[in-house]
Amino acid sequence: MNARPSQRISTAIAKNDRKTINAWAMYDWANSAYALVIVSAIFPAYYNTITSADGTSTISLFGLSMENTAAYSINLGIAFGLIALISPLLSSISDYSSNHRSYMQFFCYLGAGGSMLLFFFTDYHLVYLGLGGMLLATVGYSGSIVFYNSYLPVIATEDRQDKVSARGYAFGYIGATTLLIINLVFILNQQALGVTDDTLFPRLSFLLTGLWWLGFAQIPFRVLPRGLYTAKPVGNRFTQGYKKLKKVWQQLQSQPRLKTFLFSFFFYIMGVQTVMFMASSFGEKEIHLGLTQLIVTVLLLEYLGIGGAFLFAWISKKTSNITALMISVGIWIMICAGSYFIITPIHFYIAAFFIGIVMGGIQSLSRSTFAKMIPKTGSNAAYFSFYDVCEKTAMMFGLVMFGYLDNLTGSMRNSIIALAIWFTIGLVLLFLVDKARPARQTIPS
């Protein structure tokens, strides 16, 4: 993110300082536990089990009868919709007040509090508490990331930003898998420890996640500077962020290739993120996998995701970014087609293997492809803000539509057909991007 002419980066912030960089990366260590332990591994299966305790997967929510997985999916979609709506406002206000750390702290505490609230979700009568805690945790996680990311270009010079970003990712991976393994050890030894309550260790994992997030976050909060700029930005603090997004949209009208890529990204990332958020729910509800099996599968996905990112980076180097993305999206379509027919755990593990391979690659390639395609401008941050809002909006539509179809048809398998359609639209648009190769434009900021 480049500082605007009216905003000067504080000279008190030392770039490439090892202590500051490590402290910044520790926030990834802290909050990635939520993304892995709660979102991907334990809570979806626990939620399905608790909300099916009366012998049916249908729950009553605000007077409506809904499939439990549909309510879960729609609830997540609403959370990401809220973030897509308010993130430009949050960025603008924090820039204006130069108090990024306090906003980051607020959303961190909101997310950690939401995670710990899930400890009290003990039966299906408390479904509002379970869904509410999940919504708060998701908003807190996504909201804090907005401010966490804003520190990167301020604490590291441009030539070091890729390396520093990778350090944050590595810290997050190590921290999250460490906590997940700790929780797995307790769950596997429930009988040996003499615990008869099957809900205790899963609920403790939610409490531990919140405490882990809250505790390790104090490291960056003690070291990172309060604000990033010495001067206030130009414009209204409440509308400036939205005006920038509008300006980017207007500029995209003269950049058909980039505009087509973003439409393609919207459709295929809708499918990618929906699969990542709902895979555990599908495994528990449709394949009847146990919690331990799901945790092991999620760990496998994490390891494969790292290898897949390097694999598709190599493919893009040998071909092109768009070609590598087309290959990845093509594999996603085949995964969706095959997943409709999954009936055994072995089938699920095979699908998980291929998901792991393409999961990391498509996300890293998408961002780097976008970075290469944006015009040379003095406000790259506005383009990346637009990209982030586009992704969050896609996640909202994807999860809400998945939940709606699940509730309409009574089976998550039918929702997979929608995923295949979204990926197919994304692939067709990528093909159009590959055919159009205009020169990169220079647009005034």
Side-chain angles (χ1 to χ4, degrees):
M1 180 174 68
N2 296 326
R4 292 180 287 280
S6 58
Q7 284 180 281
R8 296 185 301 275
I9 294 175
S10 174
T11 55
I13 303 174
K15 286 184 177 287
N16 302 332
D17 177 71
R18 186 176 183 85
K19 180 182 177 182
T20 303
I21 288 172
N22 284 337
W24 175 83
M26 281 303 296
Y27 189 72
D28 229 321
W29 172 289
N31 75 349
S32 292
Y34 153 81
L36 187 60
V37 175
I38 293 182
V39 172
S40 300
I42 300 179
F43 185 73
Y46 177 80
Y47 166 85
N48 286 352
T49 301
I50 291 296
T51 53
S52 302
D54 60 351
T56 175
S57 61
T58 303
I59 61 174
S60 178
L61 204 61
F62 300 111
L64 300 174
S65 180
M66 299 181 68
E67 285 290 316
N68 54 0
T69 47
Y72 176 80
S73 182
I74 293 171
N75 184 62
L76 279 175
I78 291 171
F80 286 113
L82 285 172
I83 289 299
L85 182 65
I86 67 174
S87 61
L89 172 65
L90 296 174
S91 296
S92 182
I93 292 176
S94 63
D95 282 354
Y96 192 92
S97 62
S98 194
N99 191 8
H100 299 75
R101 188 179 63 199
S102 293
Y103 286 94
M104 184 175 163
Q105 284 178 300
F106 171 78
F107 281 98
C108 167
Y109 298 154
L110 179 69
S115 299
M116 290 187 282
L117 192 63
L118 297 176
F119 174 80
F120 302 100
F121 178 37
T122 55
D123 63 65
Y124 68 94
H125 294 106
L126 298 172
V127 65
Y128 289 101
L129 186 147
L131 291 173
M134 189 65 183
L135 187 143
L136 291 177
T138 304
V139 170
Y141 173 82
S142 300
S144 65
I145 287 294
V146 172
F147 303 101
Y148 170 70
N149 288 338
S150 70
Y151 277 93
L152 177 59
V154 177
I155 65 174
T157 53
E158 189 172 345
D159 61 310
R160 295 283 302 277
Q161 286 173 17
D162 286 344
K163 186 176 181 180
V164 172
S165 179
R167 176 172 295 208
Y169 176 83
F171 273 43
Y173 170 76
I174 296 169
T177 52
T178 298
L179 183 58
L180 182 58
I181 291 171
I182 291 171
N183 288 318
L184 178 60
V185 169
F186 279 107
I187 291 170
L188 287 175
N189 290 280
Q190 175 183 330
Q191 192 173 8
L193 294 170
V195 176
T196 56
D197 182 358
D198 291 337
T199 73
L200 180 61
F201 285 138
R203 290 189 296 115
L204 278 176
S205 73
F206 310 145
L207 182 62
L208 264 178
T209 297
L211 293 173
W212 180 284
W213 187 354
L214 196 64
F216 283 108
Q218 300 311 309
I219 297 174
F221 292 157
R222 286 183 179 181
V223 176
L224 292 178
R226 177 178 181 271
L228 305 181
Y229 307 112
T230 58
K232 294 179 180 179
V234 176
N236 187 289
R237 72 174 74 187
F238 300 110
T239 61
Q240 192 65 16
Y242 299 104
K243 288 180 179 178
K244 287 180 185 178
L245 294 183
K246 181 181 178 181
K247 185 177 180 180
V248 169
W249 174 250
Q250 291 171 340
Q251 291 177 352
L252 285 173
Q253 307 315 306
S254 61
Q255 304 169 76
R257 187 167 184 251
L258 179 55
K259 184 180 176 181
T260 303
F261 172 76
L262 280 171
F263 274 115
S264 172
F265 170 75
F266 180 89
F267 281 102
Y268 72 69
I269 208 66
M270 188 191 302
V272 170
Q273 296 289 1
T274 302
V275 169
M276 290 172 62
F277 277 99
M278 299 307 296
S280 291
S281 293
F282 181 87
E284 194 280 334
K285 187 173 183 179
E286 300 288 344
I287 317 299
H288 308 295
L289 295 179
L291 183 56
T292 301
Q293 293 171 299
L294 288 171
I295 292 174
V296 172
T297 304
V298 168
L299 284 171
L300 174 67
L301 285 173
E302 288 291 302
Y303 285 109
L304 288 172
I306 295 175
F310 285 109
L311 172 63
F312 278 92
W314 177 81
I315 293 174
S316 67
K317 187 176 181 180
K318 293 294 182 180
T319 56
S320 69
N321 281 46
I322 299 299
T323 300
L325 282 171
M326 290 172 70
I327 293 171
S328 179
V329 174
I331 295 173
W332 276 106
I333 293 172
M334 289 188 287
I335 289 170
C336 290
S339 296
Y340 183 84
F341 301 99
I342 288 177
I343 55 176
T344 69
I346 294 298
H347 294 158
F348 184 81
Y349 298 145
I350 293 172
F353 173 82
F354 286 103
I355 289 173
I357 293 296
V358 292
M359 179 180 68
I362 197 168
Q363 293 184 93
S364 60
L365 264 182
S366 295
R367 192 168 185 86
S368 61
T369 302
F370 179 75
K372 292 177 181 178
M373 292 177 68
I374 61 176
K376 297 175 182 178
T377 172
S379 57
N380 287 357
Y383 274 84
F384 277 103
S385 178
F386 190 94
Y387 178 91
D388 184 65
V389 170
C390 181
E391 181 178 33
K392 295 297 189 297
T393 304
M395 293 165 71
M396 176 192 70
F397 278 106
L399 288 162
V400 170
M401 289 173 66
F402 188 94
Y404 173 76
L405 290 172
D406 178 18
N407 193 60
L408 184 68
T409 64
S411 173
M412 297 177 74
R413 294 179 187 276
N414 297 311
S415 298
I416 294 175
I417 302 301
L419 296 180
I421 294 172
W422 301 337
F423 279 119
T424 302
I425 294 172
L427 181 61
V428 171
L429 291 172
L430 277 176
F431 179 78
L432 297 177
V433 173
D434 191 50
K435 292 300 179 183
R437 298 181 180 276
R440 182 166 167 167
Q441 302 179 50
T442 301
I443 295 178
S445 59

